[in-house]
């Protein structure tokens, strides 16, 4: 049998997990090739730890090349175009032909989509923590912040790691309190959602709102950012509301990588994938993780989180292997997941649930404890060590 090539675009948690499963299911003669522009992989929760000062940036990532299993080829290059008819991908390192293509390119941060936001970040007038460098820069700002109004703004929906902005607000308050900066400090969080983590329902939203209020943080829902003026230190919302700030922390708009749109894979928004097989409507292409959209029973998109990307990776790898004639179990993606919810130094809760069950997601927020914080640290350590042992 002629050797086939399965090409994985993206080496984040989802892409790397998919490559590992594909290598397990496919014959040794078949190629598994992973392409990514960087050799570093991080987990989103690490950015919060860097922001809070509990983790150095260098310790927050691992080498993709070292972590991928034997028999998986890694190409460090920029994906420049996808020819679905010829089944070829153009990269900065040359063209690669594929028999099956798995898209796991993640979501790009696009501050340029909000007038004035990119300029504010470039001028060091606004901060973000969704990149490793941004998380570290925000950490430095928190170390010198002497008081005033902190505005944390979720600019657009959807975004990665839905609990992260609420955790960030709590951790910012926790760090300022630890430094003794309490007088004259006001922290406000603005989100387009009707309630905090709306997928969890009104009860969870009220629990999180109360949790933040206990720490002096005010939550403003239904507010979508429309513009930022860093010279005036003001933020304007679609409602017409304008707010001033001394420290602005923004979750930038997220978007699927432009190469997917330019290659004709996306008409609007995200690359839609079947919830069971992760197949797209384009023959020979599967999609997982943050650049994809899998819809829940109530029609809402599945949250963008690593826990789902890695579970989707297993289902997609099975379906790809079976499509190519290899032996693999039936694909099964159940949409079960959990994520940590850090509230203070040494204290964390977690959210868990079944996201694909009808009529909609069923979630539960478990209270914060020192044991949960220790379990979170152990999980991160295990992820790092397992990746290095592959």
């Amino acid at each position: 049998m002629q050797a086939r090539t399965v090409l994985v675009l993206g080496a984040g948690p989802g892409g790397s997990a998919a490559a590992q499963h594909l290598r397990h299911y496919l014959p040794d003669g078949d190629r598994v090739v992973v392409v990514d522009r960087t050799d570093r992989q991080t987990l989103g929760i690490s950015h919060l730890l860097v922001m809070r000062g509990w983790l150095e940036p260098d310790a927050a990532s691992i080498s993709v090349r070292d972590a991928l299993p034997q028999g998986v080829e890694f190409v460090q290059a920029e994906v420049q175009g996808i020819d679905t008819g010829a089944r070829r991908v153009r990269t900065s390192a040359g063209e690669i032909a594929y028999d099956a293509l798995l898209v796991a390119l993640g979501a790009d941060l696009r501050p340029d989509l909000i007038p004035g936001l990119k300029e504010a970040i470039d001028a060091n007038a606004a901060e973000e923590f969704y990149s490793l460098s941004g998380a570290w820069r925000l950490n430095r700002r928190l170390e010198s912040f002497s008081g005033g109004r902190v505005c944390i703004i979720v600019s657009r929906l959807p975004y990665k790691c839905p609990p992260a902005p609420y955790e960030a607000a709590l951790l910012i308050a926790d760090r300022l309190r630890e430094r003794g900066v309490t007088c004259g400090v006001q922290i406000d969080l603005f989100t387009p959602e009707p309630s905090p983590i709306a997928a969890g329902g009104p009860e969870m939203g009220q629990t999180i709102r109360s949790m933040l209020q206990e720490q002096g943080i005010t939550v403003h829902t239904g507010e979508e950012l429309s513009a930022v003026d860093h010279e005036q230190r003001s933020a304007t919302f679609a409602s017409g509301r304008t707010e001033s700030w001394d420290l602005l922390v923004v979750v930038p708009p997220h978007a699927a990588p432009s190469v997917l749109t330019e290659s004709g894979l996306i008409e609007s928004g995200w690359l839609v994938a079947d919830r069971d097989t992760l197949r797209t409507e384009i023959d020979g292409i599967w999609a997982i993780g943050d650049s994809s959209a899998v819809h829940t029973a109530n029609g809402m998109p599945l949250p963008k989180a690593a826990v789902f990307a890695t579970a989707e990776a297993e289902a997609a790898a099975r379906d790809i292997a079976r499509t190519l004639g290899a032996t693999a179990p039936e694909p099964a993606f159940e949409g079960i997941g959990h994520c940590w919810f850090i509230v203070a130094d040494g204290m964390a809760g977690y959210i868990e649930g079944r996201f694909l069950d009808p009529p909609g997601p069923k979630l539960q927020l478990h209270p914060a404890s020192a044991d949960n914080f220790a379990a979170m640290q152990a999980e991160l350590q295990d992820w790092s060590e397992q990746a290095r042992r592959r």
Side-chain angles (χ1 to χ4, degrees):
M1 181 184 294
Q2 185 176 359
R4 285 80 53 88
T5 297
V6 180
L7 183 57
V8 179
L9 302 183
S16 295
Q20 182 179 11
H21 295 308
L22 285 164
R23 187 67 284 162
H24 173 71
Y25 291 129
L26 294 174
D28 291 343
D30 288 344
R31 297 175 68 204
V32 178
V33 183
V34 178
V35 179
D36 201 301
R37 61 189 171 196
T38 178
D39 179 41
R40 308 305 300 178
Q41 179 191 131
T42 64
L43 290 179
I45 196 168
S46 299
H47 296 177
L48 288 170
L49 302 183
V50 169
M51 181 203 80
R52 183 57 178 81
W54 296 330
L55 189 65
E56 293 292 323
D58 290 345
S61 64
I62 60 170
S63 165
V64 170
R65 196 183 303 273
D66 294 342
L68 289 173
Q70 187 174 3
V72 174
E73 303 171 43
F74 178 65
V75 178
Q76 187 171 345
E78 190 81 29
V79 178
Q80 298 175 330
I82 302 169
D83 186 336
T84 60
R87 296 200 176 197
R88 301 185 71 85
V89 172
R90 179 167 48 87
T91 79
S92 56
E95 286 196 343
I96 305 173
Y98 66 84
D99 295 280
L101 178 68
L102 177 62
V103 177
L105 286 171
D108 287 347
L109 302 181
R110 293 290 305 276
D112 57 295
L113 297 179
I114 303 287
L117 178 55
K118 184 177 186 301
E119 292 79 3
I121 292 174
D122 291 345
N124 296 324
E127 306 294 342
E128 55 86 12
F129 58 90
Y130 270 73
S131 68
L132 202 56
S133 59
W136 180 243
R137 197 174 85 165
L138 177 53
N139 169 268
R140 298 293 85 199
R141 283 291 298 275
L142 293 175
E143 294 307 299
S144 61
F145 187 69
S146 58
R149 191 183 192 201
V150 181
C151 284
I152 302 160
I153 303 177
V154 178
S155 62
R156 292 284 191 276
L157 302 177
Y159 60 93
K160 296 182 284 187
C161 303
Y166 305 98
E167 295 175 273
L170 289 165
L171 294 179
I172 288 171
D174 185 56
R175 179 56 186 144
L176 294 179
R177 188 164 49 248
E178 187 178 71
R179 287 186 52 229
V181 182
T182 54
C183 292
V185 173
Q186 178 183 347
I187 303 178
D188 291 87
L189 189 150
F190 299 84
T191 176
E193 290 191 289
S195 65
I197 313 182
E203 185 176 343
M204 178 177 290
Q206 184 54 50
T207 298
I208 293 174
R209 185 190 292 269
S210 298
M211 189 184 303
L212 269 66
Q213 286 176 339
E214 288 174 2
Q215 303 304 319
I217 302 164
T218 303
V219 179
H220 309 267
T221 57
E223 295 288 354
E224 183 173 291
L225 183 65
S226 59
V228 170
D229 185 334
H230 72 271
E231 293 182 348
Q232 297 298 319
R233 293 189 171 230
S234 67
T236 303
F237 297 87
S239 64
R241 179 177 191 162
T242 298
E243 299 288 345
S244 61
W245 41 268
D246 296 291
L247 173 58
L248 177 62
V249 181
V250 177
V251 177
H254 288 42
S258 57
V259 67
L260 299 181
T261 303
E262 294 164 359
S263 298
L265 274 67
I266 297 177
E267 292 184 2
S268 62
W270 310 92
L271 187 52
V272 177
D274 179 81
R275 58 184 264 177
D276 296 315
T277 64
L278 287 308
R279 296 184 192 183
T280 71
E281 293 183 350
I282 305 163
D283 190 39
I285 298 182
W286 288 253
I288 65 172
D290 295 341
S291 58
S292 69
V294 171
H295 290 98
T296 63
N298 61 6
M300 298 297 291
L302 190 71
K304 298 185 181 301
V307 65
F308 295 125
T310 53
E312 290 170 345
E314 167 75 8
R318 291 181 180 186
D319 196 58
I320 291 170
R322 291 167 66 92
T323 299
L324 295 179
T327 300
E330 287 273 0
F333 174 59
E334 298 179 334
I336 299 172
H338 84 278
C339 61
W340 298 106
F341 194 90
I342 315 170
V343 302
D345 189 1
M347 298 291 289
Y350 63 96
I351 298 171
E352 68 172 351
R354 304 181 64 90
F355 285 78
L356 296 183
D357 286 5
K362 297 178 179 63
L363 311 183
Q364 181 179 2
L365 173 60
H366 294 265
S369 70
D371 287 345
N372 285 335
F373 192 88
M376 177 200 70
Q377 291 180 307
E379 185 178 279
L380 284 171
Q381 183 66 26
D382 185 58
W383 166 77
S384 177
E385 291 178 355
Q386 281 191 22
R388 291 182 173 89
R389 287 198 299 266
R390 288 174 189 159

